[in-house]
Each structure stands twice: as C-alpha cells, then as structure tokens.
C-alpha cells in the first residue's frame, strides 16, 4: 500500500537549535531517506516552502476566492511530505517513527486511496455526455 506522510515542523523548537544542530538533523533526515530508497519503500518526497508563500482557495456561494497563507493558525507548519510503500499501516508507522524528522515535529500518515475505478467511471460518464 502507498502512504502519504506529512511532516510538520515545530517552529519554536527548531529555532532553539543551533545551526550545527539543525544541519545535523537535516543530514540525518536525508540519510534516512536514502535508507527508504535502498529498501524499496520510497516513492517520492518533497519539502515545502513556508506558509508565507502559500495561497488557500475556498469555494463559497458559487465563486472561488484566494487568500494568502494557510487556513489555520498553528505553532507547527507543514514542512514536507513523503510517499512511501509499506505492507500495512503498522509498517508505515514503524518506518516513519525511525525518520529523524520526527524530532522536528509531528507526522501524519495516511493511506492513499486508489481512485482508479472512480476515474474510469467518471471518464465513461463524460464520454456519454453530448458536447
């Protein structure tokens, strides 16, 4: 199964670390990512720019509005995500619990939903609609 793992950064805790401590932790994270790759668990991963670069979209009353920044105020910011392959959620939790990034803040692990059938059904419906 595929899992998306959202890594959050506790900004207050991170800012208390020295530059050397931050670099050591970053290096440990990338080293563990290499372990995930070698073991066949890695699918993808990306870091995210800060929430000050984000735009949130909302649909209300028939229109879409865009606002700067994230929707919720929080002490933790979404720092990045990993996509991993694991046999089940227990293994996904085990893999991410070993990731040095857990020292930076919490992680959320969600199974990916296979949308293949839903996409195929939608495609068939749209093909039947007159243009």
């Amino acid at each position: 199964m595929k899992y998306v793992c959202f890594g959050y950064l506790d900004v207050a805790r991170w800012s208390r670390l020295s530059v050397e401590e931050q670099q050591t932790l970053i290096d440990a994270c990338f080293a563990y990512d290499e372990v995930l790759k070698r073991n066949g668990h890695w699918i993808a991963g990306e870091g995210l720019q800060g929430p000050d670069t984000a735009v949130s979209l909302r649909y209300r009353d028939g229109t879409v509005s865009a606002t700067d920044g994230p929707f919720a105020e929080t002490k933790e910011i979404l720092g990045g995500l990993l996509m991993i392959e694991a046999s089940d959620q227990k293994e996904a939790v085990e893999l991410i619990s070993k990731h040095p990034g857990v020292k930076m803040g919490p992680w959320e692990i969600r199974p990916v939903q296979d949308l293949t059938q839903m996409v195929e059904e939608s495609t068939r419906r749209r093909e039947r609609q007159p243009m």
Side-chain angles (χ1 to χ4, degrees), residues 104-124:
M104 297 178 185
W107 283 72
E108 179 180 343
I109 301 169
R110 291 192 196 182
V112 171
Q113 183 171 345
D114 182 357
L115 298 178
T116 304
Q117 181 178 350
M118 188 183 298
V119 170
E120 290 171 355
E121 291 170 357
S122 175
T123 300
R124 285 193 295 276

Side-chain angles (χ1 to χ4, degrees), residues 78-95:
L78 182 58
L81 61 93
L82 295 178
M83 284 191 71
I84 62 170
E85 183 79 35
S87 59
D88 56 26
Q89 192 165 28
K90 181 180 177 183
E91 182 182 29
V93 168
E94 180 182 325
L95 291 168

Side-chain angles (χ1 to χ4, degrees), residues 2 8 20 22-23 29 50 63 68 80 89-90 116 126:
K2 294 178 185 175
Y8 292 85
E20 294 79 18
Q22 289 176 354
Q23 290 173 344
C29 288
T63 61
D68 291 340
Q89 192 165 28
K90 181 180 177 183
T116 304
R126 288 180 283 126

Side-chain angles (χ1 to χ4, degrees), residues 35-47:
V35 170
L36 292 172
K37 290 173 187 177
R38 280 194 308 272
N39 293 337
H41 293 290
W42 179 273
I43 296 172
E46 295 293 339

